């Protein structure tokens, strides 16, 4: 069939682009054609015909578009991402809680999901032994990182997004070039599964957390292990650097989180208060608070000056992970009941519940552009 000319306009009526489209094109293919004209980083673009949103595999032909038809493009700033045992990651509109896209392609549970620092890419880690990089604007998988011999439990971008680090049940972490997918470094030294891996804020170091009850700090680009953090009484589930890189925060199955001095490896604070495994721990962007997620069905926000605590209650089931928004005003939790929830971090009030996954939600996160709508 011949191509048709489609006019893409803003809700105001201002024309964004004119496209000669194939009738078989989906919304994704139209957006790919006009992407250069859609300014703004980390934004989500949706196409509407009247009030109907073009979703998934719906083609222009399905909508009975004709030559000269008009499509409306709506751009929204903030997004949430979730990863689930149902083998998918999903993107949600942070303003409405509406599901925007489903990222399909992994062959097993998706254990973690993060945005790139500019919000334009998503990185997932899966039990299918791979990690994948996806384009936010289109939901397209652009790269698959294959090389681990067991589950990949977490994956993170470097601060400049040029590299990715993955953590695996094969007892290693690997560093990859995010443009080419080439593995440039394998970190060996843990005596158990590696549960998480993350870069320091300056990109000069890596931290890994392991089932062997330790976290390790590695120098880049050499991959030399420079410090082993010992003290937890059980598996370490997550480890991250503070925003200034001077401290490390770990979460463990010993029911505690710990703050360590990066330079000495000394424990500064042990955070007690959960009655079951602590699955994840995160610093707020200004490092004045710590967020913990636990198998005791509660996430907690701790003030680091006083160690006063705000409980996020009402999850009703085990909490796999929790993350702050970039402005620290919101928290998102990932839960065993197949939902993610957004909370006000100061009051502990549940603001939003994201429903749609078919199984456990292991990971949930905010896009870097999130505060624009708050």
């Amino acid at each position: 069939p011949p191509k048709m000319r489609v006019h893409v306009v803003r809700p105001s009526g201002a024309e964004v682009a004119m496209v000669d489209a194939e009738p078989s094109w989906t919304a994704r293919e139209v957006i790919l054609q006009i992407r250069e004209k859609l300014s703004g980083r980390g934004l989500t673009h949706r196409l509407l015909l009247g009030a109907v949103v073009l979703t998934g595999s719906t083609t222009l032909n399905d909508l009975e578009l004709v030559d000269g038809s008009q499509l409306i493009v709506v751009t929204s700033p903030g997004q949430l991402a979730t990863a689930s045992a149902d083998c998918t990651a999903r993107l949600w509109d942070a303003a409405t809680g509406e599901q925007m896209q489903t990222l399909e392609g992994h062959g097993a549970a998706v254990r973690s999901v993060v945005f790139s620092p500019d919000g334009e890419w998503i990185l997932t880690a899966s039990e299918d032994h791979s990690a994948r990089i996806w384009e936010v604007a289109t939901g397209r998988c652009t790269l698959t990182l294959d090389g681990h011999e067991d589950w990949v439990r977490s994956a993170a971008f470097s601060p400049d997004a040029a590299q990715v680090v993955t953590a695996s049940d094969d007892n290693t972490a690997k560093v990859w070039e995010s443009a080419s997918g080439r593995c440039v470094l394998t970190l060996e030294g843990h005596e158990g599964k590696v549960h998480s891996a993350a870069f320091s804020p300056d990109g000069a170091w890596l931290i890994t957390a392991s089932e062997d009850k330790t976290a390790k700090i590695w120098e880049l680009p050499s991959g030399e292990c420079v410090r082993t953090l010992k003290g937890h009484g059980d598996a370490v589930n997550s480890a991250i650097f503070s925003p200034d890189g001077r401290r490390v925060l770990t979460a463990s199955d010993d029911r505690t989180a710990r703050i360590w001095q990066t330079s000495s490896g000394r424990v500064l604070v042990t955070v007690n208060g959960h009655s079951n495994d602590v699955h994840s721990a995160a610093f707020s962007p200004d490092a004045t608070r710590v967020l913990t997620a636990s198998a005791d069905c509660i996430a907690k926000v701790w003030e680091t000056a006083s160690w006063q605590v705000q409980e996020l209650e009402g999850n009703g089931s085990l909490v796999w992970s929790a993350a702050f928004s970039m402005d620290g005003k919101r928290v998102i939790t990932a839960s065993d009941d197949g939902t993610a929830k957004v909370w006000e971090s100061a009051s502990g009030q549940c603001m939003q519940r994201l429903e749609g996954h078919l199984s456990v939600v292991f990971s949930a996160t905010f896009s870097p552009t999130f505060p624009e709508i708050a």
Side-chain angles (χ1 to χ4, degrees):
K3 288 189 173 184
M4 59 175 90
R5 183 150 288 185
V6 176
H7 300 272
V8 181
V9 300
R10 291 286 182 194
S12 63
E15 183 156 296
V16 176
M18 196 167 59
V19 184
D20 288 322
E22 301 279 355
S24 60
W25 281 7
T26 62
R28 179 181 298 181
E29 286 157 317
V30 176
I31 287 170
L32 278 171
Q33 290 296 316
I34 63 171
R35 192 170 42 178
E36 286 69 37
K37 299 190 172 80
L38 296 169
S39 58
R41 302 195 315 171
L43 300 177
T44 314
H45 308 291
R46 283 181 295 170
L47 288 176
L48 289 82
L49 176 62
V52 179
V53 182
L54 277 70
T55 56
S57 57
T58 305
T59 66
L60 302 182
N61 207 32
D62 294 339
L63 295 168
E64 298 178 358
L65 256 71
V66 295
D67 202 50
S69 291
Q70 209 175 65
L71 291 173
I72 302 166
V73 62
V74 178
T75 301
S76 57
Q79 280 195 302
L80 310 168
T82 52
S84 169
D86 68 9
C87 306
T88 72
R90 299 185 190 217
L91 294 175
W92 314 75
D93 186 313
T96 63
E98 177 192 353
Q99 190 175 305
M100 310 283 295
Q101 293 199 62
T102 302
L103 309 182
E104 294 178 287
H106 278 297
V110 186
R111 299 293 303 213
S112 85
V113 60
V114 292
F115 285 91
S116 59
D118 65 6
E120 293 188 13
W121 305 91
I122 273 186
L123 172 62
T124 53
S126 171
E127 292 177 14
D128 68 6
H129 304 187
S130 79
R132 287 180 177 231
I133 296 175
W134 314 73
E135 191 175 39
V136 168
T138 63
R140 192 166 55 96
C141 175
T142 57
L143 201 61
T144 301
L145 306 176
D146 275 317
H148 281 294
E149 292 168 14
D150 209 327
W151 293 7
V152 182
R153 283 188 188 258
S154 92
F157 282 105
S158 60
D160 63 1
Q163 291 185 318
V164 162
V165 63
T166 51
S168 171
D169 281 10
D170 65 10
N171 297 9
T172 73
K174 288 179 184 285
V175 179
W176 316 73
E177 289 175 350
S178 46
S180 67
R182 189 169 69 91
C183 179
V184 293
L185 195 60
T186 299
L187 305 177
E188 297 178 288
H190 278 296
E191 293 169 11
K193 297 170 182 176
V194 184
H195 287 162
S196 85
F199 287 89
S200 59
D202 63 2
W205 311 88
L206 280 172
I207 181 98
T208 52
S210 171
E211 198 175 58
D212 68 10
K213 305 181 189 177
T214 73
K216 288 180 183 284
I217 298 172
W218 313 75
E219 187 183 54
L220 292 173
S222 70
E224 182 191 349
C225 178
V226 294
R227 203 153 287 115
T228 298
L229 308 182
K230 293 180 181 176
H232 277 297
D234 209 329
V236 185
N237 294 315
S238 78
I240 55 157
F241 287 97
S242 60
D244 65 5
R246 291 162 62 180
R247 288 165 295 161
V248 163
L249 174 62
T250 54
S252 169
D253 281 353
D254 69 8
R255 305 183 178 188
T256 72
R258 293 183 181 216
I259 297 175
W260 315 68
Q261 190 173 43
T262 305
S263 58
S264 67
R266 193 165 57 88
V267 178
L268 302 175
V269 181
T270 299
V271 183
N272 284 299
H274 284 290
S275 60
N276 209 328
D277 304 351
V278 183
H279 287 145
S280 80
F283 281 108
S284 61
D286 63 4
T288 62
R289 290 167 298 158
V290 161
L291 170 64
T292 52
S294 170
D296 65 10
C297 305
I298 299 172
K300 299 188 182 198
V301 180
W302 311 77
E303 300 282 342
T304 55
S306 62
W307 292 104
Q308 283 182 293
V309 65
Q310 173 68 61
E311 295 194 352
L312 309 181
E313 290 188 86
N315 275 293
S317 66
L318 180 156
V319 188
W320 280 103
S321 71
F324 278 106
S325 60
M326 293 293 279
D327 61 2
K329 292 178 183 174
R330 299 273 194 275
V331 163
I332 189 166
T333 55
S335 182
D336 214 49
D337 66 3
T339 71
K341 298 178 189 71
V342 178
W343 312 74
E344 202 171 53
S345 60
S347 68
Q349 183 187 348
C350 184
M351 316 284 292
Q352 215 170 44
R353 184 182 165 101
L354 308 178
E355 299 186 67
H357 278 295
L358 309 177
S359 188
V360 174
V361 179
F362 285 120
S363 176
T365 190
F366 294 94
S367 70
T369 55
F370 177 78
E372 292 174 23
I373 47 143

